[in-house]
Amino acid sequence: MNITLSDVGLSALEADGPVLVTGGPGSGKTTLALLKAQRQIASLDPGQEVLFLSFSRAAVRQVLVRCQDILTAGERRQIAVRTYHAFCMDILRSHGRLLNGKPPAILFPGPERLAKAQYGGDWAVEVQRLALEDGKYAFSTFADRAAALLARSSSVRELISEMYPIVILDEFQDTDDAQWALVQQLALESTLVTLADPDQRIFDYQADIDPRRLDQYRAAFSPDEFDFGGTNHRSPNASILSFADAVMTNEALPSTSDVKQLSTYQRNHDASVHAAVTWMMSQLRKAGIEYPSVAVLGRSNGYVSDISLMLGREHKYKQHTLKPLDHHVVWDAELTAAAAQVVASILEWPLHDVTSAAATTLDCIADFYDMKNAEHPSKSAQNTASSYRAAAANVRAGKEPRPAAAKAVKRACEAGLTFSGDAIADWLAARAIMESSDKLAELLTAARFVRLFRATDEIGGRLTAQWAESGTYQGARTMVQRALNMGKLLATETEPRGVVLMTLHKSKGKEFDGVVIVEGQYAGAFFNEKRERPPFAATRRLLRVGITRARHQVVLVRPSVAPPLTCPPAADGPTA
């Protein structure tokens, strides 16, 4: 791949020592970092690698794609692209015994959220106790404990830096306190190449993400700094970035055909959303993109679920019939995993008596609502979890459960299920049990987002192998849980195709051919004074992130009563 660097880029490429590269989306920060890595790879000793750390599996996937464009196959084998969590987990698994003399154990996100929901005291204190006394490391403490280990053991720190003499840090503006402590330990022996976009700082509502992080980095390491500014290689022939910058700074919007705004009335909002996504796919195909990817973004998980329902129904729009659109939803990973446990428990029904089987499934349903309550505490989720837990206890005691949905599950279990050994068909049959009650609609929605059966899917393979060995799905819950736990840490995502739904926050680090951003009149509103004071700086940064995910085209679908995207002050000021 022939890459032409600007003068600033060439200077950054030549610089030795710690480097800080800042710039907007698509400005070439990642390309520059990989070119610097390529220069260093030739001088690495056997066993050494360049370490590239990022926050999400999606961002890791983007880097791996970029590696294929820039590095040879041999060079790619000498760059380790990891998430912070995966990197820290490896450190703890290999050397965690040095912290307290006990063999390390990992508490993955799902079990951690359940434990947090069921714990009566201060969970932050409890996870520290689990690490210090039991050697059990919660997902949320990986970076903190890994940093403590490197600070305590210079031998381990030197070993890590000997293996990774160069460390590239992606999206540094969102580094939390524990990750910052880890970075400071790595910097004692390794050379840092740091990438950041201050205007993509969208997680600073979290108490441990300091908006002054870049200044702290400058003070600690005195790096050579290079500003790539507003250069945009993601959509170089589009004015998407200038539109996004205007939204962020609350200035007059530029006129562009690359970003369209669609105003809707309440009666036709759903059909308009459906039409906007259909139009986007059509436009991208007309532009010569054979397999286009379109992200449909909403403000919250709940509103993304609403959008999924809109696209899943048939609509009439300007005399045209719009058929349901096939789409994938990037959902709350832990709720999805909890829903998968319910389905897996149903696969195990033929192995147990009716009482035990039904009660186990009801406990799994209670776990789902415990998981929901752990992330977004509410009396409703807490009471629902308690009601299913009580229903399970009643079934075990030979009594009839009280909730209607629990009764439906028990009746389905009594009726029995016969499986064929076709893992896909059997999974769908087990999932269909949740259609027996409207009260399980939320759980069914989450379960539908479990995309288990791709060609290389580990869960489908494990279930198929188990059936081949025993003619049953014995241990299905354990298989599903283990596979999903590991899957959250490994960069196994594929290049997106088709229509993908997610929140604006989840879109960070991803790229798509087109983006449709949807605002609801009530749910999913952009500018909410109960949540944030005008001029809504945090929301504007978030919208900038969503808009700049697009390579070619953006559509914003907004209610007609919504306030304008920007309200710049009059140039001459107020008049008398």
Side-chain angles (χ1 to χ4, degrees):
M1 182 178 180
N2 187 23
I3 298 172
T4 302
L5 294 177
S6 65
D7 290 343
V8 174
L10 288 170
S11 297
L13 185 62
E14 297 290 343
D16 295 322
V19 167
L20 173 60
V21 181
T22 58
S27 60
K29 301 186 299 296
T30 301
T31 297
L32 182 279
L34 293 177
L35 289 174
K36 287 185 74 67
Q38 187 179 49
R39 281 201 164 194
Q40 297 295 327
I41 283 172
S43 62
L44 294 178
D45 294 331
Q48 288 186 321
E49 296 177 327
V50 174
L51 176 64
F52 195 118
L53 286 178
S54 194
F55 290 94
S56 67
R57 291 182 297 129
V60 165
R61 180 185 56 75
Q62 291 289 348
V63 174
L64 291 172
V65 169
R66 198 66 52 80
C67 282
Q68 293 179 346
D69 294 335
I70 296 172
L71 307 178
T72 66
E75 290 167 339
R76 292 198 297 273
R77 285 192 288 270
Q78 289 188 267
I79 183 166
V81 186
R82 313 291 300 283
T83 64
Y84 276 92
H85 280 107
F87 175 64
C88 292
M89 184 180 71
D90 284 348
I91 292 175
L92 292 172
R93 278 183 159 168
S94 299
H95 309 289
R97 187 186 291 268
L98 297 175
L99 286 170
N100 53 19
K102 296 183 178 179
I106 301 300
L107 182 60
F108 285 96
E112 179 185 356
R113 273 172 61 172
L114 280 180
K116 178 182 177 182
Q118 297 164 3
Y119 186 71
D122 187 330
W123 182 247
V125 174
E126 174 63 8
V127 291
Q128 292 297 327
R129 186 199 67 76
L130 287 171
L132 294 172
E133 296 180 13
D134 300 342
K136 194 168 189 176
Y137 301 104
F139 193 77
S140 59
T141 64
F142 280 8
D144 174 70
R145 292 295 83 203
L149 196 156
L150 298 187
R152 178 176 300 185
S153 174
S154 59
S155 296
V156 173
R157 186 181 68 242
E158 290 167 4
L159 177 66
I160 297 295
S161 290
E162 175 68 20
M163 183 180 299
Y164 304 115
I166 301 160
V167 179
I168 302 170
L169 305 169
D170 194 21
E171 301 283 5
F172 188 77
Q173 73 278 354
D174 286 328
T175 305
D176 66 27
D177 292 342
Q179 291 158 346
W180 172 228
L182 177 74
V183 166
Q184 291 177 84
Q185 291 300 315
L186 293 173
L188 293 175
E189 309 287 343
S190 299
T191 300
L192 302 182
V193 176
T194 304
L195 316 177
D197 179 358
D199 291 329
Q200 286 203 69
R201 197 182 71 248
I202 62 173
F203 295 107
D204 56 3
Y205 59 85
Q206 298 179 17
D208 59 350
I209 296 181
D210 196 323
R212 301 166 299 171
R213 190 71 75 210
L214 287 177
D215 289 334
Q216 294 169 347
Y217 180 89
R218 293 180 179 106
F221 306 125
S222 301
D224 288 331
E225 189 164 346
F226 302 91
D227 183 4
F228 282 25
T231 305
N232 181 13
H233 300 297
R234 179 174 299 159
S235 51
N237 299 318
S239 49
I240 292 172
L241 180 59
S242 60
F243 187 98
D245 285 343
V247 171
M248 184 184 68
T249 55
N250 198 24
E251 297 175 353
L253 296 173
S255 177
T256 170
S257 61
D258 301 317
V259 183
K260 298 183 182 298
Q261 296 192 63
L262 177 61
S263 182
T264 70
Y265 295 96
Q266 190 169 359
R267 67 178 181 276
N268 72 342
H269 179 74
D270 293 9
S272 298
V273 171
H274 196 157
V277 179
T278 302
W279 176 86
M280 176 71 78
M281 290 292 287
S282 172
Q283 289 297 110
L284 294 170
R285 289 193 180 105
K286 286 178 181 177
I289 302 172
E290 187 175 1
Y291 299 108
S293 60
V294 173
V296 185
L297 309 179
R299 180 70 197 239
S300 65
N301 275 322
Y303 195 59
V304 168
S305 178
D306 291 344
I307 298 170
S308 178
L309 293 174
M310 297 175 202
L311 299 184
R313 296 170 179 154
E314 184 175 290
H315 288 100
K316 286 281 188 181
Y317 185 81
K318 294 184 177 180
Q319 310 306 313
H320 295 285
T321 299
L322 303 176
K323 297 295 185 183
L325 270 177
D326 188 33
H327 61 276
H328 172 57
V329 183
V330 179
W331 194 245
D332 182 313
E334 303 313 327
L335 280 180
T336 299
Q341 284 290 290
V342 177
V343 179
S345 76
I346 295 171
L347 289 175
E348 295 176 347
W349 276 2
L351 295 163
H352 306 286
D353 61 82
V354 169
T355 297
S356 175
T360 297
T361 295
L362 293 173
D363 273 333
C364 288
I365 294 174
D367 288 346
F368 174 87
Y369 286 100
D370 272 337
M371 189 73 70
K372 181 181 178 182
N373 185 57
E375 184 68 10
H376 303 290
S378 70
K379 272 292 181 186
S380 174
Q382 188 176 7
N383 291 340
T384 303
S386 297
S387 70
Y388 281 107
R389 199 77 68 196
N394 281 340
V395 169
R396 289 190 175 96
K399 302 176 183 177
E400 188 70 7
R402 295 183 62 184
K407 291 177 182 177
V409 169
K410 180 171 178 285
R411 285 196 300 271
C413 189
E414 290 168 343
L417 271 179
T418 301
F419 297 122
S420 65
D422 180 330
I424 298 175
D426 291 344
W427 180 274
L428 295 176
R431 194 183 72 185
I433 295 298
M434 285 179 279
E435 297 173 3
S436 59
S437 172
D438 291 342
K439 297 294 185 182
L440 296 176
E442 183 178 20
L443 200 155
L444 177 61
T445 298
R448 283 175 172 157
F449 296 155
V450 183
R451 303 293 181 174
L452 297 177
F453 300 108
R454 293 171 179 159
T456 58
D457 177 69
E458 182 181 0
I459 295 174
R462 288 187 179 193
L463 291 175
T464 299
Q466 179 61 32
W467 183 274
E469 180 180 333
S470 65
T472 71
Y473 292 117
Q474 184 173 7
R477 281 181 296 150
T478 301
M479 285 186 279
V480 168
Q481 184 176 48
R482 285 177 179 171
L484 290 178
N485 280 340
M486 291 307 300
K488 294 164 201 163
L489 297 178
L490 302 176
T492 57
E493 296 187 14
T494 58
E495 182 70 16
R497 287 184 179 181
V499 179
V500 185
L501 277 59
M502 68 190 73
T503 63
L504 285 156
H505 278 93
K506 283 190 172 74
S507 73
K508 187 173 181 183
K510 301 176 175 68
E511 293 182 16
F512 302 89
D513 296 312
V515 167
V516 179
I517 300 177
V518 184
E519 179 178 13
Q521 184 168 338
Y522 302 107
F526 293 165
F527 305 121
N528 184 340
E529 292 194 30
K530 293 181 179 178
R531 181 178 58 231
E532 184 184 6
R533 293 178 61 82
F536 308 102
T539 293
R540 294 184 179 283
R541 286 198 301 271
L542 184 60
L543 285 170
R544 179 182 185 265
V545 167
I547 293 167
T548 56
R549 299 308 91 200
R551 299 186 187 101
H552 303 287
Q553 187 80 49
V554 178
V555 175
L556 293 111
V557 185
R558 309 188 66 217
S560 59
V561 295
L565 273 180
T566 63
C567 299
D572 298 325
T575 58

